Amino acid sequence: MTRISNIAERYRARFKGTPRVYRAPGRVNLIGEHTDYNDGFAMPAAIEFYCWVAVGSRDDRKLSIYSEEFSAGAEADVSSTAISPTKSWSDYPIGVALELEKAGFRLRGANLFIESEVPMGAGLSSSAAIEVATALALAESSGGRPDRLQLARLCQKAENEFVGARVGIMDQFVSLHGQKDHALLLDCRSLNFKSLAIPDSVKLVISNTMVKHELASSEYNRRRADCEEAVRRLATVLPGIRALRDVSLEQLERHRGLLTEVIYKRALHIVTENARVLDSAEALEAGDIERFGKRMAESHRSLRDLYEVSCRELDLMVDLAYQQKGVFGARMTGGGFGGATINLVDARRAGEFKEKLGKAYQRETGLVPQIYICRPAEGAGPVATSDL
Ligand code: GLA
């Protein structure tokens, strides 16, 4: 049985009727970390790990949601204004439903069967994948014709306001706009993007350290607050600035005295990371993967030493990657504090890279890492019913 019909089967067993099925991918970010909420640049690609949502309508205005992963169900009445988060997985789909309502989509009641293959806590955007797949399922099954940009914004808002993580828009955006074999050079202020082909000769190797950091979301929000503080202080002498995106390296150095050491380090990461993304995009367009790799190495060091969102296992995974043959660049990817690294690897060496890196990491830590050899995938959408 294919994965899709399997999901439809299990939907039928729980809710009866034939569902429509939607899927949304996770993502890996090649470079440009923590820049999105600073109105900066990032370079994510969607990956072939999906969250699947099977949906069928109901006659009332209730949502009945079930996830086999959590062996748990949840219910919510979309017409109620008194729904509070429960700090569990169901906050994601329910938060999205509430945002859709607020945005004027009048939702019908629905049964939702959710299944995700995006590794959780690995920095590969399992949250955005569940938000986006739910948003598409609910909007379309209520007769809405959602605009993808609006959906991305609305999913981000659900995560900011209902879930309570002040994330930027990169993950939701690329889950909806991803393109097969391409990364997106995303301008997180204008939300314009350019598709950049990833040559066939290169594989994206994602290496999960298997470490999840408890403090990830509170530390994430703190980093964001540090960046906002930097802007507040710098704006006293640079009145035109709205975000760290608007600050040059020269301006930052000139006004360093206005910042504490910690806030200066945070800002220095953002300012230099934006420049690295633009340079990496140029390198990719010129076919210069070696240069791209150098920017990745710098990005990792900056995230480790200035932004301080790496951890021992991520640093080790990166160091070990550079000891292997065929690697162009390696760095942590996503929010950090655990999770995965992204490696750009010569396609001919990818199998050997995976095996040797996995063994070396296991030897040093006793942990068995999950390593995936990927290529960029297409963004979210409905799954053809002929496949059911
Ligand atoms: C998480 C957030 C994104 C982004 C990254 C760091 O994945 O969801 O918005 O800020 O961290 O680049």
Side-chain angles (χ1 to χ4, degrees), residues 178-253:
Q179 287 176 11
K180 190 172 178 347
D181 295 332
H182 292 77
L184 308 184
L185 169 61
L186 175 61
D187 178 336
C188 301
R189 170 172 281 165
S190 66
L191 297 182
N192 290 331
F193 68 92
K194 188 172 183 184
S195 314
L196 300 172
I198 302 293
D200 287 344
S201 54
V202 174
K203 297 278 189 205
L204 311 182
V205 182
I206 296 172
S207 193
N208 186 352
T209 61
M210 312 309 280
V211 176
K212 292 185 194 177
H213 202 289
E214 293 294 313
L215 292 174
S217 104
S218 59
E219 285 295 322
Y220 183 98
N221 288 351
R222 192 167 306 156
R223 292 298 177 284
R224 187 162 179 166
D226 287 347
C227 293
E228 288 163 356
E229 181 61 20
V231 173
R232 257 192 302 277
R233 293 184 184 205
L234 292 170
T236 59
V237 288
L238 302 168
I241 66 168
R242 278 162 48 205
L244 284 176
R245 150 77 174 270
D246 303 313
V247 178
S248 69
L249 184 55
E250 189 266 322
Q251 288 171 323
L252 179 63
E253 294 303 338

Side-chain angles (χ1 to χ4, degrees), residues 27 29 31-38 42 123-125 127-128 156 159-160 165-172 220 224 269 273 303 307 309 331-336:
R27 65 99 190 90
N29 189 20
I31 193 159
E33 220 64 85
H34 289 272
T35 45
D36 61 350
Y37 53 83
N38 287 293
L124 301 175
S125 284
S127 331
Q156 179 199 14
E159 191 159 343
N160 289 170
R166 298 187 62 215
V167 294
I169 200 166
M170 165 173 72
D171 304 348
Q172 294 80 3
Y220 183 98
R224 187 162 179 166
H269 165 73
E273 184 79 350
L303 288 157
Y307 217 65
V309 291
R331 56 181 286 280
M332 54 156 277
T333 189

Side-chain angles (χ1 to χ4, degrees), residues 38-95:
N38 287 293
D39 277 4
F41 300 96
M43 202 190 289
I47 49 175
E48 283 174 321
F49 286 92
Y50 298 94
C51 175
W52 306 75
V53 173
V55 62
S57 309
R58 296 168 58 108
D59 294 332
D60 54 16
R61 294 201 75 218
K62 283 213 179 89
L63 297 181
S64 179
I65 312 174
Y66 186 78
S67 157
E68 252 175 23
E69 255 116 344
F70 297 98
S71 306
E75 293 218 333
D77 185 335
V78 284
S79 54
S80 158
T81 47
I83 304 177
S84 316
T86 57
K87 302 272 168 238
S88 73
W89 64 275
S90 58
D91 286 350
Y92 294 94
I94 293 174

Side-chain angles (χ1 to χ4, degrees), residues 112-156:
L112 299 167
F113 189 99
I114 300 181
E115 182 177 275
S116 182
E117 60 193 4
V118 186
M120 266 177 279
L124 301 175
S125 284
S126 56
S127 331
I130 187 171
E131 290 156 13
V132 168
T134 309
L136 277 178
L138 288 178
E140 292 191 3
S141 69
S142 299
R145 303 205 59 210
D147 162 312
R148 285 188 172 239
L149 191 52
Q150 187 188 11
L151 277 186
R153 286 204 168 103
L154 200 141
C155 289
Q156 179 199 14

Side-chain angles (χ1 to χ4, degrees), residues 319-335:
D319 289 345
L320 294 174
Y322 280 112
Q323 293 169 22
Q324 312 305 322
K325 292 193 185 116
V327 64
F328 294 108
R331 56 181 286 280
M332 54 156 277
T333 189

